Amino acid sequence: PAGLGGALPCPPPLLHKRLPARWVASLEYEGPSEDIGQGWTAMLTHWLPESGYKLSIGPFFERYDPAFGAPGVRTVRCRLGMPVEPRAC
């Protein structure tokens, strides 16, 4: 979706960090912030066991739409991501 592709400058003390290339499973979440855990649950307990992938070492992330937290914005849009690798056969 528009708004999730580019990096925005981070105010201190936040910083950008480039990570090594790796496999990442991601999910676009849109809904109330209090329900974001349902997105993680769907990825970890439904998609992952049936996907042919397993969790890998690396950071999990939530990348929010730039409009998140703006006055009048009640819906969260973000990308949830977790490191994965193919399962051995």
Side-chain angles (χ1 to χ4, degrees):
L4 293 177
L8 297 175
C10 289
L14 302 176
L15 60 107
H16 285 276
K17 183 172 182 174
R18 184 170 299 273
L19 300 172
R22 66 181 45 137
W23 291 83
V24 174
S26 67
L27 169 80
E28 298 287 331
Y29 173 80
E30 185 167 348
S33 59
E34 61 269 15
D35 293 341
I36 200 165
Q38 292 176 13
W40 286 113
T41 298
M43 288 178 68
L44 291 164
T45 64
H46 300 291
W47 178 82
L48 188 61
E50 299 178 15
S51 69
Y53 292 88
K54 64 180 182 176
L55 283 178
S56 181
I57 295 173
F60 283 61
F61 67 87
E62 295 179 4
R63 185 170 185 183
Y64 289 85
D65 184 288
F68 179 67
V73 175
R74 302 179 59 89
T75 299
V76 173
R77 278 186 39 205
C78 69
R79 178 172 294 152
L80 308 178
M82 62 184 181
V84 295
E85 62 186 52
R87 284 182 216 226
C89 294

